[in-house]
Amino acid sequence: MGVVTAVSRNEEYTFTKPARESITLLAGLGVEGDVHQGVTVKHRSRVAKDPTAPNLRQVHLMHAELFDDLRDRGYVVEPGAIGENVTTRGIDLLGLPTGTLLHLGPEAVVEVTGLRNPCAQIDGFSRGLLKEVLFKGPGGDLVRLAGIMSVVRTGGVVRPGDEIRVELPAEPHAALVPV
């Protein structure tokens, strides 16, 4: 079992999302009051391609263990600083299969849709950070470490300290791909 260590949201299109005491997840929409809330895509690059596409990026989750690793490499990254809504600890987010349900606290449930595809804005936050979260692995495949994306299946309030319960989908499992 894991734990929520921080929650963040922002009403405006900025890269960083301020930490909050709680966030409210709305079924089928995302984080109440967050700029990325909605049934259809809200990320600017995706809206430009197809504004009618479903929003598979309603809630962005990132593991606090990444921040620990980045700190060891000289980068100070606090929760919400690189755009996530929910910061977790104790769960291998990147190892989850597509379709995993994450029960956040007593009510909210999100369904994992895929990997976050980190963009150059990360270097705007801290020069050189992009290469720490997006790089070629030993086999030549791109490795993405900047968290996962999800959609809200059941709404509810999420707070730091809430437990996270993982419910895996039926097998065969599908590995996460960028969404």
Side-chain angles (χ1 to χ4, degrees):
M1 212 174 280
V3 65
V4 173
T5 62
V7 294
S8 306
R9 71 171 167 77
N10 200 340
E11 302 86 2
E12 300 175 12
Y13 276 107
T14 62
F15 189 65
T16 298
K17 294 183 184 234
R20 309 290 181 161
E21 290 183 17
S22 67
I23 56 173
T24 301
L25 302 187
L26 303 173
L29 294 174
V31 179
E32 182 176 50
D34 191 81
V35 71
H36 296 113
Q37 172 190 331
V39 174
T40 56
V41 292
K42 299 300 175 197
H43 289 76
R44 290 178 173 166
S45 63
R46 296 175 194 299
V47 169
K49 290 179 185 172
D50 180 3
T52 65
N55 186 2
L56 302 178
R57 300 166 56 103
Q58 293 174 356
V59 181
H60 176 198
L61 297 96
M62 195 171 303
H63 49 297
E65 292 86 353
L66 174 63
F67 301 156
D68 300 340
D69 292 342
L70 292 171
R71 190 170 294 112
D72 292 345
R73 289 183 254 155
Y75 296 90
V76 177
V77 181
E78 299 296 330
I82 54 177
E84 82 278 7
N85 300 109
V86 178
T87 309
T88 69
R89 185 169 292 282
I91 294 176
D92 177 12
L93 294 178
L94 303 176
L96 296 173
T98 301
T100 298
L101 298 179
L102 297 175
H103 298 257
L104 307 173
E107 303 169 317
V109 180
V110 297
E111 180 179 340
V112 176
T113 55
L115 294 169
R116 175 189 186 185
N117 193 24
C119 67
Q121 285 183 309
I122 289 179
D123 271 350
F125 171 77
S126 184
R127 183 169 301 290
L129 186 57
L130 181 60
K131 69 177 174 37
E132 300 293 336
V133 297
L134 178 67
F135 53 89
K136 287 193 178 183
D141 291 336
L142 280 178
V143 176
R144 293 169 175 87
L145 302 179
I148 62 172
M149 307 308 284
S150 65
V151 296
V152 181
R153 292 297 177 221
T154 304
V157 176
V158 181
R159 295 178 175 84
D162 280 349
E163 288 186 359
I164 303 170
R165 187 171 56 85
V166 176
E167 184 180 344
L168 296 174
E171 292 191 14
H173 292 163
L176 296 177
V177 298
V179 295

